[in-house]
Amino acid sequence: MAVSSLTIPKPDDWHLHLRDGSLLKAVIPFTARHFARAIIMPNLTPPIVTSDQAKAYRERIRQALPEGMTFTPLMTAYLTDTTQPDDLKRGFEEGIFVAAKLYPAGSTTNAENGVTDVQAIAPLLETLQRIGMPLLIHGEIATPDVDFFDRETVFIDRVLIPLRRGFPELKIVLEHITTRHAVQYVASESQNSELAATITPHHLLLNRNALFKGGIRPHHFCLPVLKRETDRLSLIEAATSGAPMFFVGTDSAPHLRTTKESAQGAGGIFSAPTALSIYAEIFEKAGALEKLEAFLCLNGPLFYGLPLNAGSLTFEKEEPEALKPILTEENVEIIPFLPFMSESNSGLSWRVKEKEPL
Ligand code: DOR
Ligand code: ZN
């Protein structure tokens, strides 16, 4: 008989954009109701570079939480060419920073202040390795000589492989992987537990055809960009394998509707409301629902050396519903993923049992 209800420990989101101000306020309930903790991306404008900035941002996140919701933000440091190793160390030891984030300069939204030359930050990497602080990597090369769709593959070959040779004990998460090449590299390197990868719901669900179906689809544009069907199938195989080096990271990245639906639409998919339903749908279709708990709840804490969450979360099978835009205080729309799947139907039948509607 088909399963119609599923209870797992409360999951974590190991890659999340919460933004700031009224956008933060509008989106945080959607993550906090489904996830116990999340790794918070530091690519604000200006970015979260120092431990003092991270501490203040963490406080703003706590203040934005609706009454009665519990949620733990795990803060990250945005690495620049001039980040001070001592501040990273202090932030980590004081429990402000959980990890450091490497954006190659220009690789994605608000990555202008990112690292221009990975070799030049060797002292930072040496510090991270020594103190056991994980390095989270946006794995793309953003130079004009590299084809947009090859950015991840070229990054792995030109930057990541040499970096890991230089710092073999550095804990690394290759974030939001999108290619078969990345899956194979991470799987082949993970005899030791230093290298892991996160996988988003959108890269499991869509291939690059979805960018152009019936016309250009700005709400399907994210970075790294969607890839081929063969890549998507590799990602599904990795996520549903239960292997400890692959775990959830939604990369939920809200932008205002007007910023997405533009001649130069921003990269980023706001998946917080539907991410868990999508993962459940994918795992069920792959015949691997029994591996969902490892991917959503167990593998991440194991990598980060954090305790498992105490609470639980239940999925139930229900009739798919239409998704509505979310509104900020100023009544500006944010469109949740999957937008416009059909007029009345998100296509998602696994739903998190909610205590009360938002
Ligand atoms: O799609 C993305 N959006 N990828 C990123 O790396 C950044 C993010 C954002 O901040 O919007
Ligand atoms: Zn991201």
Side-chain angles (χ1 to χ4, degrees):
M1 208 182 74
V3 184
S4 63
S5 166
L6 181 68
T7 298
I8 57 171
K10 197 129 188 232
D12 302 299
D13 186 349
W14 300 103
H15 184 130
L16 175 69
H17 299 264
L18 279 180
R19 316 300 192 203
D20 214 341
S22 66
L23 200 46
L24 163 64
K25 247 176 135 175
V27 301
I28 194 172
F30 294 93
T31 290
R33 66 192 337 212
H34 291 176
F35 297 92
R37 300 170 289 204
I39 287 275
I40 310 299
M41 286 298 123
N43 64 332
L44 305 185
T45 37
I48 302 297
V49 174
T50 67
S51 54
D52 284 348
Q53 289 168 335
K55 199 171 173 184
Y57 182 34
R58 184 172 65 182
E59 195 46 41
R60 296 199 294 283
I61 293 170
R62 289 179 178 152
Q63 293 298 326
L65 263 182
E67 285 255 333
M69 274 196 187
T70 49
F71 169 72
T72 305
L74 306 172
M75 309 310 288
T76 57
Y78 181 118
L79 298 183
T80 70
D81 290 346
T82 56
T83 297
Q84 297 302 310
D86 283 354
D87 185 57
L88 275 187
K89 184 165 176 282
R90 186 173 347 111
F92 185 62
E93 286 171 356
E94 288 179 8
I96 301 167
F97 288 139
V98 170
K101 173 76 191 228
L102 169 61
Y103 287 108
S107 56
T108 187
T109 309
N110 297 338
E112 299 76 19
N113 301 302
V115 171
T116 53
D117 175 7
V118 172
Q119 284 184 349
I121 59 159
L124 286 180
L125 301 178
E126 199 280 316
T127 300
L128 296 176
Q129 177 171 257
R130 185 161 36 80
I131 65 179
M133 180 172 175
L135 177 69
L136 316 183
I137 302 183
H138 183 107
E140 290 196 286
I141 277 204
T143 52
D145 60 307
V146 178
D147 185 277
F148 203 87
F149 289 90
D150 294 337
R151 284 177 162 195
E152 182 176 277
T153 294
V154 175
F155 180 89
I156 291 170
D157 296 346
R158 277 196 210 161
V159 182
L160 185 58
I161 291 176
L163 187 158
R164 294 198 63 241
R165 248 183 242 129
F167 300 93
E169 279 150 38
L170 178 57
K171 280 179 92 70
I172 293 178
V173 182
L174 186 57
E175 301 195 284
H176 42 51
I177 57 171
T178 62
T179 56
R180 189 213 290 258
H181 187 60
V183 167
Q184 289 176 341
Y185 175 65
V186 173
S188 71
E189 282 292 293
S190 298
Q191 324 76 352
N192 50 37
S193 54
E194 267 83 39
L195 180 66
T198 55
I199 306 180
T200 75
H202 41 280
H203 290 104
L204 289 173
L205 193 65
L206 303 178
N207 65 36
R208 65 195 197 179
N209 288 349
L211 285 166
F212 309 110
K213 194 168 169 224
I216 194 135
R217 299 284 198 118
H219 294 285
H220 292 166
F221 178 51
C222 61
L223 297 155
V225 71
L226 298 169
K227 300 296 190 313
R228 292 176 179 276
E229 180 64 3
T230 45
D231 296 304
R232 188 183 78 91
L233 294 175
S234 278
L235 295 173
I236 292 179
E237 211 177 298
T240 60
S241 68
M245 61 286 219
F246 298 110
F247 48 85
V248 51
T250 67
D251 200 10
S252 178
H255 290 275
L256 301 182
R257 182 173 191 165
T258 44
T259 312
K260 297 280 300 165
E261 296 176 12
S262 144
Q264 202 175 342
I269 289 180
F270 174 52
S271 63
T274 49
L276 289 182
S277 300
I278 296 170
Y279 284 127
E281 205 87 16
I282 297 279
F283 276 66
E284 183 182 43
K285 279 214 182 87
L289 265 185
E290 78 286 356
K291 298 282 170 49
L292 189 62
E293 180 173 337
F295 182 77
L296 291 180
C297 316
L298 309 179
N299 297 349
L302 190 70
F303 177 85
Y304 279 93
L306 291 170
L308 301 183
N309 295 316
S312 67
L313 176 138
T314 298
F315 291 95
E316 283 180 349
K317 275 254 153 171
E318 282 172 30
E319 276 302 302
E321 279 184 332
L323 291 172
K324 292 193 221 73
I326 281 122
L327 294 175
T328 66
E329 280 173 340
E330 302 90 358
N331 260 350
V332 183
E333 284 181 336
I334 309 155
I335 305 293
F337 188 64
L338 282 153
F340 319 124
M341 189 65 175
S342 94
E343 294 276 304
S344 58
N345 189 330
S346 68
L348 300 171
S349 61
W350 278 108
R351 282 226 295 284
V352 177
K353 200 168 147 197
E354 308 283 2
K355 290 199 188 79
E356 70 266 358
L358 275 177

